[in-house]
Every structure is written in C-alpha cells, then in structure tokens.
C-alpha cells in the first residue's frame, strides 16, 4: 500500500564515485548484487514511463485539438469579455461589456493582446474571421498540451511513473478538461500556469524552485485570474516549514524575494499595457479583487446569480465522474497510509503527497462557500483534482496489488483483480467520452447557426443580426461577416447587456474604444434600455423554440411567425430541461432512442475521419496503459551512456570511443568542430551559485574510473566565485610562475589549440562575461583583452587559458612508446599535488608516484585503453571528493608547506610536505572542508592532446551537513573506504571528529523527520 518514496525518484542509478586529487584515480563502484552490508534491500532504480513523453504530448495535443474544433462555448463571459474585445482589436468592431469601461477597468488588455496577436497570425490562413477564432483555440490547445506534458513528466519523476500515467488518463478523458483546455478564459490561463507552478514546486532536482513556482502562480494571478493565487498557499507553507526545520531562513527569504520580483516585473508590464489602452494607470488585479470582495452588497459577484452550496459537487461529478470521488478521497487515503505504514512510506514522502493534495480541498471549500458559483471557477484546480485522483487510485492499486497471503486481498487471483480495476478505469473513461461526445452533439448549435451568413449571398450585406432570449448563447462576432453587427431586442432579461465598442477612427488615435467612456454602463447590473433595438431594424433574428416552454409577450416563439420571418437554418439544441442527471453524465441527446440514433448518425457522418484517427490514437494510448498495469516483469530503465573501458572497442557497437588504427605517438588531425554552445540560461557572474556536487554515496566502496558522457554545452562551468578564483590564480601565477604553469616546446601547438577552443566556447556559453574579438577574447568584468594571434604570445598559452576559467588545466600527449605524458599544464589550485613534481611524467608514473590505491591492479589497463581510444567527438566527465582540514583552496598547508624549506647555511631541506602523516590529528570540525573536483576529458582534434579540466568546489563540512540526507550518506561513504583508500584520503587524521559530527547531524535530521532511520537518501549523482 505504500506510496513510492519521494527520494526513489530523485535517486540516480548508482553511478560511480571518485577519490581525491589524482587526475584519474580510484572511484566508487555500485555494490554487487551479493553485497550484505545494507540495512535494507537495495531499491530498484526509478522506472521510466512506459509511454514516451513525446507520445503523451501528442495524446494531449490530439484531444485538445478536437476540443478546439468541436467544444461548444459554455460561458457567455468567454464571448463578451474576451472574444469580442479581441475582435475589436483585430477588426475595429465588437461588443463591449461594462468591465472594459475605463470607469471600472476590471479586465486587463494584456490578456487580450496576447490572443489578438495569435489571431492575427490565424488571419494569414483565411480571409474568414472564423480562421482567427480557431487559430486562437488551436494555440490554446497546444499551450495546454505543453503544460500538461510538463506536469506529467514531473509527476513521473517526483512521485511515480504510474501516478503520471493515471494523471494523463484523467486529463485526457475528462469532459471538464475537454472544455477548460481551450476556453478563452482567465481561469483556463490560470490553469495552464498552475500546472507549470506545480511542476516547479514539485521538482526538487537541482534545488528548490520556489521563485520559479511563485512566478508561474503570479503570472496566472496577475494576467489571468487573481484568486487563482490562493492555490500556492499550501506549497509556500511546505517550503517555509522545511526551511524553518533546517534553519535555512536566509535562503527562503531570497527565494520568496526572487518570486516576488519576477511577479512584479509581470505586473509592471501589465500596468503599462493597460495604461496604453485605458489612457490611465490602473492595477486591474486589484480592481477585480476590490469589486468582488469589498464593493458592498449592491455590487460584487452575487448580483449576477447565486447557486446552492452543492453546485460544485454536482458539476464536478458530471465533469470528472469517478475521478472526482477519488480526488475527494485522496486525503483520507494518504492519511490512512501514513498512519498504518509510516515506516515503509517515509514521512517525507507521505507528507509531500498530502501537501500537493491539499490545494484542491482548499479551493473547493473556499468557492463552495461563495454564493456566486460558475463552472469556470474550478478550472485552475483541475490539475490538482487530477493529481489527487491519481495519487488515491495509485495508493489503492498498490494495496490491491499485494500478493501477501496474510491479507484477504492477497488471496484474490491477480488476473481477477486486474479485470476489476481495468473495468472501473474503462468505465470512467467511457462515461467521460460519452459526456464529451454528447456535449458536442447536443450543444454545438451556436457554433453552427451563423454558417449560412458566410455564404456569398449574405457575406457582404450590411445588416443587423438580432438576439432575444438567446443572447447569452451568441458565439462572437468572429462568426459573422464583417459588415454585420449584433443587436439585442428586448427579452425577459432585465440586467445590463453589452454595448458596442466605438468604431470612431479619425482624430481619436489608436483603439479609441478602449479609453472612451461608453454610455449607459454601470457596475450594478442595472438594465440600460438604450442597449435594445426595435425588432423592425433587424434583418436576421436568432431564436430558439423548445416544446413545453410557454411563450410570453417579451419572449414569443418567433419561429412560428412565418408571416414575418423566414426560417433560414435550424439546428438541434438540448437544454437542462430536456435531460436529467444520468443523461447529462453521458450524452444529453439520450432523451429518446430515436433522437440519440439520429444525432449519432449525423455526427459520425460529418466527423468520420477525425473520429477514426481519434479512436486509433486512443487505442494506442490504452495499449500503453495496459503495459503499465499488466502483471509481470517491469521494463527496466536504460543504463547511463557511459563506456565500459575494459572491453575492446569492437565489442562496443556504435561506440564513439572506437579509434582508427594508428601508430603510437602519431596523430593525424581530424576535421571535427565542437558544436556551438548555447548560452547558459539566466547566468550571472554575481548571482549564479556553484553547482552542488556531492559525488559520494552509501557504501560499500569499489574502485573504477567512473566516466560518464559529457554534453558539449557543459564543458566549462563558471559561477559567482569566478572573480575570487580569477584573482587567486593571477596572484599565484605572479608568485610561482613556471612552478604552476608550463608548456613543453613539443606541446605548444596543443596548448594554443586549447586556448583557441576556450576563446570560441566561452563567449558562446557566457556572453555576459566574455566577448569574442578579431584577435582573441575580451573579459567584460575585468576589462582584460587577450590577443592569441600575435607571435610570440604575450605569455605561456596555459597561463592565458587559466585566467579565463576557474578550472586547472592539463594536456597529455602520446609519445612513440604509447605512453601519455603531462607536457602542458596550469595547476594552480590542486590542493595536494604540484605541477613541478609531475611535469613530463607518463600517466602511469603520475599515479604510482602519488600512491593512488589499486592503480596497477584495477585502473592502469582501463586507463591506457581509454586514452588510446578516446576521440574528439566523445568528451567525458568524472567527479571525485575528499576531506581537507584547513581552508586553503590552493594548497592544503595542513600536510606541510607547498615549497620545501632549506637551511640557509647548509642548504639541506629542513621542512617539506610529507603528506597526511604530518597533519595535525582530530582538528575541530570547523577546520574540516569538503573538496570536490569535476574533471572533463576531451581530445583536441588538431594536436591529438587529451585535455583535462579540473574544477574544484570547496565548502566547509558544517555547511554541506545542513543538506537533507548528506550527513548520513557522507558518513556511510567515509566508513566504507578500504584501508588503501582511507590511508590515501587521510581518514586516520580526521575520521573520529568528522564521523562524530556527521552522525550527530544525521540524528538531528532523523528526529526532525527529514530522513527516515535506516533509509539511504541518495541524490542524483553526482549532486
């Protein structure tokens, strides 16, 4: 019954973890299947979604496209408050509601402008304005599909792929989403941003994304519907509670400030756009809140109609059927799971699930308490409803799927349980599809009724199209010829009808209808007689006739007045009077069998091709779903794309590491150009923090090289420590010169090639810091310009290269003996080794002289294979880590001085670095620092040199120990070192103090409920 752990999705498959300061050294390997050291069985890596994400996107897009083409407009607000103003911007005419009068200004023009731009692109497809209408709808459907796919992907990674699949089923087959996905309404827009905001708060990989989540909810609240911002409250509460538990107050303040600033930028844009159209400064979101909440009893939402308290219960039951019931039960089910199986379902996982389940309850409770209710008010909460239903059903399925014979459910045959569950899911899908099709066939008349007016007979006729009792069904001016205008005749409706945007042009500037105050408007829904037109002025009249409804003086049955009106066209339309609750849950046309068959025959004839492709798509979707829930062996995720260097290249089919035959020491230049790097998103030299590399995991520890494929964009990493590194490197170059930076004559061309590569890559990746020049590169921050074309160069090319990056650099070159030699390097911040000691050495001697553990036994053969085979197009990465008991980034003086000290008289060495044996034992934890290296390896195509970049990350142990799960994981890793590795890493000098501190911090996190006792909390390696 246990819900999948939060950390099970954030864990990476156990990658390899590396050791200290060697260039290629000992590294941890995933434990074998026979390892017995674990406190609990090793969890399986997270399952990949059986249905590819792109297929899910196409599924969402298919359904949303069908909705764009066929979904009726359900809300007159959509027509008069959004389609009509858009028509005015694009065509100069349209109906205007009181909300757009500058006196009240409770609708934002920014929201309209966005859709008007899309509509303009649609006008390129056809001269008919309906092309714009459907272009906007199609665009809304595509945007919604992207948002749904983003949330689906995040749910799969954060909760479980099965939860994601269930979420997709709910979203695809629910009538509520069918309408909401393409509705031109602020509540639908807020639904889109809600999905993106949910994904941001849900995805903890790479750190909390509070600012991003706040931005998306802020955009939904400001540009869309202000009240939708309430959905963020539980998510912000979770963030605040977590920060208070970890003492991370400054970080949460920064994250909140980040989100607020992003939202204020959006608000400033909105105010500017609205000021342009209204000709005055106004804050529309506040106007909406003030009118609906604080304007008094004669104003506000209630004057437009009220509904009983259970309105949303009935409405959501129709639009989501079984899924709504599951959404309501999600809280109790998750709570029961937490109480009954709190040990196996970790507190963090269960509580997190309940956090994301709570916004739906909050939304439903708040809006059920309001007297004025409309279906669209629920749209922003639809994603939460779908997630609740998915979590509830997944938890139930986990319990039902138990094969434990001690439980009653475990005695039921697995196939029978599958049939029962499958039947329930298929029933829910069938009910949803039936209602959706029924809504299209029974309520689609308003989108078709003006079709005859588009014919050549009437297309250029100047005429009034009049509406009476059916004014609220009107599908917007987009369906009328450009010369026709909508007018209203008096009916029983006694509220305020829309007026016309002024069509004045000369002398009034841009869009005068948006800022000229229209006559007869008020915010109390008081009727304005001037909005009515005498029926004698009507050329066309739209009317409805429902047998059983008694005509009145104000609302006669005009269709029966054959002496005055000629029937041009007619369509079937169903109303709530014609259908009960059961038929509304399925097809409203089910009132009579004959009517049902007739409507279905007509529908199938008109839309046979679309139905065929829809059924085909649904078939493949259901087939994929069946694969998810079918009993049997689960599909295992693919392994990471890292080469096995112990295997000959011929056995690695298609490997980029397969090298052409050549003589040792001979390299023929290859015509390979590194792909251009994309700019680092939102990178800033002052604010972009170092990436949180934590390349260690729970033991045991095995020794490998631990390489993984590198993406070209990620070759060099810079952050807000750049200036600190730059100044430290410059000082050490000045002080130590050739001791730290040196290039052998035979390696000069390779060093220049590396410098040229950096001068090409850095301006592409970090354009705010570097600018490419005709002769080299310019550092915008330090105002340094480097000429790499002049000869001789101003300095050693390795010195110049080191000034550009935070990494240390080394280049290995092959000689005729087949060995690779260190012939060019800039090693300024290595901490534990010196370039002057290793320069000119072959690769094997570099490692044996440094006493790298098990080098000869386990690493040398694979390393030599790798260096021999690596190709320019196949860069790789590795990480390592170790502990340092002083705070010197450049050289760890705790193991002795960087330079030997000599007796001034005799010249004998009196003090030199002797390694860990000379370090002070058990220094206070304040001196302990965590040192991590990120190393990239790539071959230069022209010279054939193999380049190492060695980027060091340096943090106090007391700092990283505040991160959730890190103390326990690091303590386990340190304890798992074998004798060789422990001696190499110096554990004997600091282990007692370090482990005591880490164990204490781990206990604190267990007591706070941040981690579970005995649980192995892993990050996504190497983070």
């Amino acid at each position: 019954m246990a819900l999948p752990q939060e950390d099970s999705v954030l864990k990476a498959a156990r990658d390899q973890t590396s050791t200290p300061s060697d260039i290629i050294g000992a590294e941890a390997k995933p434990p074998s299947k026979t390892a017995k050291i674990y406190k609990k069985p090793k969890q399986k890596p997270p399952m990949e979604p059986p249905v590819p994400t792109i297929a899910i996107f196409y599924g969402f897009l298919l359904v949303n496209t069908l909705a764009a083409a066929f979904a009726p407009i359900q809300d007159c607000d959509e027509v008069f408050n959004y389609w009509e103003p858009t028509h005015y911007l694009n065509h100069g005419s349209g109906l205007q509601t009181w909300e757009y009068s500058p006196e009240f200004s409770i609708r934002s023009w920014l929201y309209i402008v966005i859709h008007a731009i899309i509509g303009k692109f649609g006008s390129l497809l056809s001269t008919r304005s309906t092309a714009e209408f459907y272009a906007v709808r199609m665009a809304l459907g595509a945007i919604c599909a992207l948002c749904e796919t983003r949330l689906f992907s995040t749910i799969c990674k954060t909760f479980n792929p099965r939860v994601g699949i269930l979420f997709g089923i709910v979203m695809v087959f629910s009538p509520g989403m069918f309408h909401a996905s393409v509705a031109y309404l602020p509540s639908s827009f807020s639904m889109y941003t809600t999905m993106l905001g949910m994904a941001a708060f849900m995805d903890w990989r790479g750190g909390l994304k509070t600012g991003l989540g706040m931005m998306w909810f802020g955009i939904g609240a400001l540009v869309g519907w202000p009240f939708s911002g309430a959905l963020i409250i539980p998510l912000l509460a979770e963030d605040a509670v977590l920060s208070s538990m970890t003492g991370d107050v400054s970080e949460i303040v920064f994250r909140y400030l980040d989100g607020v600033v992003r939202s204020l930028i959006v608000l400033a844009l909105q105010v500017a756009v609205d000021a342009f159209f209204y000709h005055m400064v106004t804050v529309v979101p506040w106007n909406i809140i003030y009118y609906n909440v604080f304007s008094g009893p004669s104003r506000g939402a209630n004057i437009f109609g009220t509904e009983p308290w259970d309105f949303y219960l009935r409405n959501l039951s129709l639009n989501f059927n079984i899924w709504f019931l599951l959404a309501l039960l999600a809280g109790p089910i998750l709570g029961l799971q937490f109480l009954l199986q709190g040990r196996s379902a970790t507190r963090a996982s269960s509580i997190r699930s309940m956090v994301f389940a709570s916004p739906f309850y909050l939304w439903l409770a708040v809006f059920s308490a309001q007297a004025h209710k409309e279906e669209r008010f629920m749209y922003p909460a639809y994603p939460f409803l779908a997630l609740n239903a998915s979590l509830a059903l997944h938890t139930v399925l986990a319990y039902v799927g138990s094969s434990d014979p001690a439980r009653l459910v475990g005695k039921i045959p697995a196939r029978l349980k599958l049939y029962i569950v499958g039947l329930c899911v298929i029933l829910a899908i069938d009910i949803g599809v039936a209602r959706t099709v029924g809504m299209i066939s029974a309520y689609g008349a308003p989108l078709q009724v003006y079709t005859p007016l588009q014919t050549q007979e009437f297309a250029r006729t100047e005429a009034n199209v009049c509406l009476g009792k059916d004014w609220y069904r009107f599908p917007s001016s987009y369906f009328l010829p450009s010369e026709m205008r909508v007018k209203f005749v008096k009916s029983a409706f006694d509220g305020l009808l829309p007026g016309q945007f002024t069509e004045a042009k000369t002398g009034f500037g841009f869009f005068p209808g948006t800022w000229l105050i229209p006559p007869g408007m008020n915010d109390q829904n008081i009727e304005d007689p001037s909005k009515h037109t005498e029926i004698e002025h009507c050329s066309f009249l739209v009317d409805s006739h429902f047998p059983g409804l008694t005509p009145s003086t104000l609302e006669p049955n005009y269709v029966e007045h054959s002496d005055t009106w000629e029937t041009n066209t007619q369509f079937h339309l169903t109303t709530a009077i014609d259908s009960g609750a059961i038929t509304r849950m399925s097809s409203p046309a089910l009132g009579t069998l004959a009517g049902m068959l007739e409507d279905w025959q007509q529908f199938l004839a008109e839309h046979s091709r679309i139905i065929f492709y829809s059924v085909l798509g649904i078939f493949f979707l259901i087939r994929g779903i069946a694969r998810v829930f079918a009993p049997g062996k689960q599909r295992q995720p693919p392994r990471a794309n890292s080469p096995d260097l112990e295997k000959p290249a011929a056995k690695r089919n298609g490997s980029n590491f397969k090298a052409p035959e050549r003589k040792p020491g001979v390299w023929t230049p290859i015509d390979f150009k590194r792909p251009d790097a994309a700019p680092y998103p939102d990178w800033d030299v002052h604010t972009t923090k170092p990436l949180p590399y934590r390349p260690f995991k729970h033991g045991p520890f095995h020794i490998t090289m631990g390489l993984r494929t590198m993406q070209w964009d990620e070759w060099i990493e810079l952050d807000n420590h750049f200036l600190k590194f730059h100044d430290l490197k410059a000082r050490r170059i000045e002080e130590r010169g050739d001791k730290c930076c040196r290039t052998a004559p035979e390696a000069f061309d390779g060093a220049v090639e590396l410098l040229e590569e950096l001068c090409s890559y850095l301006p592409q990746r970090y354009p705010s810091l570097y600018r490419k020049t005709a002769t080299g590169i310019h550092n915008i921050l330090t105002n340094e310009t480097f000429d790499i074309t002049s000869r001789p160069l101003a300095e050693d090319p390795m010195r110049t290269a080191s000034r550009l990056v935070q990494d240390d650099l080394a280049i290995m070159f092959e000689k005729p003996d087949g060995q690779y030699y260190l012939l060019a390097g800039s090693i300024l911040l290595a901490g534990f080794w010196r370039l002057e000691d290793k320069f000119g050495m072959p690769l094997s001697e570099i490692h044996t002289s440094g006493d790298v553990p098990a080098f000869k036994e386990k690493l040398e053969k694979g390393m030599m294979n790798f260096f021999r085979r690596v190709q320019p197009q196949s860069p790789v990465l590795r990480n390592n880590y170790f502990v340092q008991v002083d705070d010197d980034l450049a050289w760890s003086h705790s193991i002795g001085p960087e330079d030997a000290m000599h007796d001034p008289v005799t010249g004998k060495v009196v003090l030199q670095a002797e390694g860990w044996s000379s370090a002070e034992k058990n220094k206070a934890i304040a001196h302990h620092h965590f040192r991590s290296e990120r190393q990239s390896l790539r071959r230069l195509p022209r010279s054939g040199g193999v380049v190492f970049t060695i980027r060091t990350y340096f943090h106090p142990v007391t700092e990283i120990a505040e991160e959730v799960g890190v103390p326990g994981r690091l303590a386990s890793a340190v304890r798992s070192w074998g004798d060789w590795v422990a001696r190499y890493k110096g554990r004997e000098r600091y282990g007692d103090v370090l482990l005591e501190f880490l164990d204490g911090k781990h206990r604190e996190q267990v007591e706070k409920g941040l981690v579970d006792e005995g649980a192995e909390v892993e990050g996504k390696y190497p983070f």
Side-chain angles (χ1 to χ4, degrees), residues 31 374 403 860:
E374 297 189 42
S403 57
E860 185 174 29

Side-chain angles (χ1 to χ4, degrees), residues 949-1008:
T949 68
I950 309 164
R951 170 62 200 281
T952 301
Y953 295 83
F954 197 61
H955 306 278
V957 168
T958 53
E959 177 184 307
I960 70 166
E962 297 298 327
E963 298 169 2
V964 175
V966 164
R969 179 155 53 104
L970 181 55
S972 174
V974 172
R975 286 191 171 96
S976 72
W977 297 342
D979 291 341
W980 281 0
V981 176
R983 186 164 54 250
Y984 180 58
K985 289 178 178 274
R987 186 179 66 188
E988 186 268 339
R989 312 308 291 176
Y990 55 77
D992 294 343
V993 173
L994 176 66
L995 291 173
E996 180 182 2
F997 172 75
L998 293 176
D999 290 342
K1001 298 301 291 185
H1002 178 66
R1003 283 194 299 272
E1004 287 181 15
Q1005 293 188 357
V1006 171
E1007 290 168 0
K1008 291 179 179 180

Side-chain angles (χ1 to χ4, degrees), residues 387-445:
L387 177 61
N388 280 26
S390 306
L391 289 171
L393 182 56
H394 180 265
T395 306
V396 171
L397 290 178
Y399 176 76
V400 171
S402 172
S403 57
D404 184 356
R407 293 180 176 179
L408 177 62
V409 71
K411 299 177 181 179
I412 303 174
R415 190 170 296 276
L416 177 60
K417 289 189 285 187
L418 178 63
Y419 286 151
I420 294 174
V421 170
L423 182 63
C424 293
V425 172
I426 291 173
L427 178 63
I429 292 174
D430 285 346
I431 293 174
V433 171
R435 175 168 170 79
T436 299
V437 172
M439 293 287 286
I440 295 172
S441 62
Y443 298 114

Side-chain angles (χ1 to χ4, degrees), residues 639-962:
R639 290 184 176 272
N641 184 23
S642 295
D644 185 346
L645 302 176
E646 297 297 334
K647 290 184 179 180
K651 294 184 179 180
R652 286 181 266 113
N653 295 331
S655 171
N656 288 331
F657 288 81
K658 184 175 181 179
E661 292 297 325
R662 59 182 177 82
K663 292 181 180 180
V666 177
W667 176 260
T668 303
I670 292 178
D671 185 18
F672 170 77
K673 183 181 182 299
R674 170 190 53 78
D676 288 344
Y680 194 117
D682 302 322
W683 188 87
D684 187 280
V685 72
H686 302 294
T687 60
T688 299
K689 295 183 178 181
L691 294 177
Y693 288 107
R694 307 292 183 261
F696 50 84
K697 60 179 182 58
H698 292 86
F701 188 92
H702 288 242
I703 297 173
T704 68
M705 289 173 62
L707 302 178
R708 65 185 187 277
T709 302
M710 183 188 83
Q711 302 300 317
W712 280 109
D713 283 356
E714 301 170 358
W715 179 33
I716 300 295
E717 291 181 352
L718 303 180
D719 50 51
N720 61 0
H721 289 184
F722 173 81
L723 205 54
K724 170 186 171 183
F725 277 64
H726 177 275
D727 293 347
L728 179 57
K729 282 185 165 191
R731 187 172 73 247
R732 285 180 61 78
I733 290 173
E734 181 68 25
E735 294 173 352
R736 301 188 61 78
D738 289 347
K739 292 181 178 181
C740 291
C741 299
R742 189 183 303 181
T743 302
E746 64 268 35
F748 181 82
D749 181 61
V752 170
E753 184 181 5
L754 170 60
L755 182 56
E756 292 170 350
E757 277 287 282
L758 290 171
C759 290
S760 169
Y761 170 88
L762 292 171
Q764 295 171 355
R765 187 63 170 164
Y766 304 100
S768 62
L769 179 62
Y770 284 112
R771 183 177 70 249
K772 189 172 178 60
T773 66
T775 58
I777 193 170
H778 177 73
N779 186 317
I780 300 170
L781 178 66
T782 63
N783 201 31
E784 296 171 299
T785 300
F786 301 96
D787 182 352
I788 67 171
T789 60
S790 299
R791 295 293 183 273
L793 290 173
E795 61 180 353
D796 187 308
M798 296 304 290
R799 290 193 184 191
T800 305
S802 68
R803 297 180 193 274
L804 301 176
V805 296
Q806 293 173 245
D807 307 60
D808 281 345
L809 305 167
I811 313 179
M812 310 291 293
F813 291 89
E814 187 184 37
K815 290 189 175 183
D817 62 0
Q819 290 271 6
Y820 277 79
Y821 290 79
L822 177 55
L823 298 181
S826 173
I827 307 299
L828 297 160
L829 310 173
F832 290 95
W833 67 283
R834 298 170 293 220
L835 178 65
E836 59 183 313
D837 297 334
K838 310 291 185 182
F839 191 81
M841 280 187 180
L843 189 64
S844 296
E845 188 179 350
I846 289 174
H847 288 81
T848 55
S849 64
D851 295 324
V852 174
F855 176 77
K856 284 290 185 182
E857 297 86 344
K858 296 189 177 183
L859 294 175
E860 185 174 29
K861 180 182 177 182
M863 192 179 301
M864 297 307 295
N865 284 339
F866 167 76
F867 272 81
R868 180 72 177 162
R869 296 166 183 161
V870 66
Q871 294 298 293
Q873 66 270 26
S874 309
V876 296
L877 290 171
R878 69 185 299 273
N879 289 77
N880 63 26
Y881 74 97
F882 51 100
V883 176
Q884 182 174 322
V885 289
D886 56 70
D887 61 356
D888 194 335
L889 171 64
W891 176 261
S892 178
H893 57 265
S894 60
I895 64 171
E898 186 171 8
D899 295 315
M901 300 178 64
H902 298 79
D903 187 293
V905 178
T906 65
K908 292 183 179 181
V909 174
V910 295
L911 184 63
Q912 63 181 351
E914 297 179 357
W916 280 108
S917 60
S918 62
E920 180 183 343
K921 188 173 182 179
N922 290 335
K923 294 177 72 173
I925 193 65
H927 297 283
H928 290 53
H929 284 71
F930 176 76
R931 188 181 186 104
S932 172
E933 292 179 351
R934 173 194 183 267
Q935 301 174 0
S936 76
L937 296 86
R938 56 170 293 198
R939 189 184 290 277
L940 297 171
R942 187 175 74 218
S943 64
V946 178
V947 175
F948 288 81
T949 68
I950 309 164
R951 170 62 200 281
T952 301
Y953 295 83
F954 197 61
H955 306 278
V957 168
T958 53
E959 177 184 307
I960 70 166
E962 297 298 327

Side-chain angles (χ1 to χ4, degrees), residues 52 64 139 148 152 199 222 232 314 364 493 500 509 539 612 650 680 732 738 767 804 857 872 983 985:
N64 293 352
E148 290 171 304
F152 162 82
L222 295 171
I232 200 178
R314 292 182 283 113
L364 183 62
F493 176 73
Q500 298 278 346
S539 303
F612 170 75
Y680 194 117
R732 285 180 61 78
D738 289 347
L804 301 176
E857 297 86 344
R983 186 164 54 250
K985 289 178 178 274

Side-chain angles (χ1 to χ4, degrees), residues 582-596:
I582 299 299
T583 53
R584 285 200 299 275
M585 187 172 287
S586 53
S587 170
L590 289 176
T592 64
L593 181 60
M596 178 191 71

